[in-house]
Amino acid sequence: MERETVIEDRLSKIYHTNYVRNSRAICVLWGIFTVCYAILNIVCFIQPQWIGDTGVATAGFFGLFKYCVLRNNNEFECQGDFFDADSYLNSSFHAAAVFIGLSALLFLVCCLCLLLFLFLNTATVLRICGWIQVLGAIFMFLGCVIFPNGWDHKTFNKVCLNDSKAYDMGSCGIRWAFILAIILIFDATILAILAFVLAAKQAKLLPEVYKKMEKSDFNGYASDTMSKRSGLHALSDDRYSEYSHRSEKSKRSIHSSRAA
């Protein structure tokens, strides 16, 4: 029974070691995807290709804070600056740009938080990054929802012919930046869930497990050595008793010969 217990403890220790390695590999992949997400978020934020014309009316396309309209010289004239509040078409575009910008900033902070793995517990860092990613996903969602509310501007109506109605794209179509922003909402949610799951898994990887296993190994080793020692003592006692019986028999034979 003791040997079976030692074998089970050693197998559990091997399984635990493999589990730790797999968990670390998944954490590395999670960190790589977080950095990639931050880059895509910045690209989505600065690109004006959120919605644009399909060739029906005046050519042009719109982003969060920048829009471009085709002029008479067949060249696009772009306007808009993120830090200039007067350059926004309306407050909805401004609010959407702020939320998407905050989402990009949060994921940049999350990338910097990856350095905390050198100083803090892994589960703590994952929880911090998980909450940051949750906020980033919420801000990205709010930006994507508020952005169509600004489509009632006259400049947007000139390009898209939507009768200045909010949430009506008219003759325009969704461009790749808007589609990427929608995909990033789900990506941020998945990354946040994965961070919390990894944090919960890391909480089970406590040093006490190794201590318990090492203790059981030591106890098994001690029991084996004690059993070996007891076997040696028993063997020596048997040999001593056998020798004593032989000596007593020889003495009796000598006494009987002398008496005869």
Side-chain angles (χ1 to χ4, degrees):
M1 291 296 292
E2 293 180 354
R3 286 187 177 179
E4 292 179 358
T5 304
V6 171
I7 292 172
E8 289 178 359
D9 290 337
R10 289 178 179 175
L11 288 176
S12 61
K13 187 174 182 180
I14 293 171
Y15 174 76
H16 190 267
T17 303
N18 293 330
Y19 183 80
V20 171
R21 290 176 181 174
N22 295 332
S23 178
R24 289 177 180 175
I26 296 174
C27 286
V28 171
L29 290 176
W30 171 84
I32 294 173
F33 289 143
T34 300
V35 174
C36 293
Y37 182 96
I39 296 172
L40 291 176
N41 201 339
I42 294 173
V43 172
C44 180
F45 171 69
I46 63 178
Q47 282 293 325
Q49 298 287 344
W50 278 62
I51 190 169
D53 71 290
T54 56
V56 177
T58 303
F61 46 89
F62 298 85
L64 294 172
F65 55 89
K66 184 181 290 186
Y67 63 95
C68 302
V69 179
L70 185 66
R71 299 304 180 185
N72 295 328
N73 55 358
N74 292 328
E75 291 183 359
F76 284 98
E77 181 181 351
C78 298
Q79 299 179 7
D81 186 6
F82 177 74
F83 298 100
D84 186 7
D86 296 331
S87 64
Y88 290 92
L89 294 178
N90 49 36
S91 59
S92 296
F93 278 86
H94 193 184
V98 170
F99 280 120
I100 302 296
L102 286 175
S103 177
L105 181 61
L106 285 173
F107 269 86
L108 287 176
V109 173
C110 188
C111 292
L112 294 177
C113 288
L114 296 178
L115 298 174
L116 295 176
F117 282 111
L118 301 174
F119 307 101
L120 297 178
N121 187 17
T122 303
T124 303
V125 178
L126 287 171
R127 289 191 186 96
I128 293 172
C129 293
W131 284 114
I132 293 175
Q133 290 172 348
V134 168
L135 291 176
I138 293 173
F139 288 156
M140 180 66 73
F141 173 76
L142 292 175
C144 292
V145 171
I146 294 174
F147 177 70
N149 190 47
W151 294 352
D152 57 351
H153 195 268
K154 60 181 181 179
T155 303
F156 191 89
N157 181 30
K158 183 180 178 181
V159 175
C160 300
L161 302 177
N162 65 339
D163 296 332
S164 298
K165 294 180 180 179
Y167 295 95
D168 182 13
M169 67 178 64
S171 62
C172 288
I174 296 176
R175 297 288 179 91
W176 62 268
F178 201 174
I179 297 174
L180 179 61
I182 296 173
I183 295 174
L184 289 178
I185 296 173
F186 298 98
D187 290 344
T189 305
I190 293 172
L191 286 174
I193 294 173
L194 182 59
F196 288 121
V197 171
L198 289 173
K201 297 292 184 182
Q202 291 293 326
K204 298 179 181 179
L205 307 180
L206 298 175
E208 285 78 5
V209 178
Y210 285 106
K211 291 180 181 179
K212 184 178 179 181
M213 291 177 181
E214 290 174 359
K215 196 177 205 181
S216 61
D217 290 341
F218 177 75
N219 291 332
Y221 176 75
S223 61
D224 290 339
T225 54
M226 290 296 291
S227 61
K228 290 179 181 179
R229 288 182 181 177
S230 60
L232 289 174
H233 284 298
L235 182 60
S236 61
D237 291 338
D238 291 339
R239 288 181 178 177
Y240 178 75
S241 61
E242 185 179 357
Y243 177 75
S244 62
H245 286 304
R246 286 179 180 177
S247 60
E248 288 179 358
K249 288 180 180 179
S250 60
K251 287 180 180 179
R252 288 177 182 175
S253 62
I254 292 169
H255 285 295
S256 63
S257 63
R258 285 182 180 177

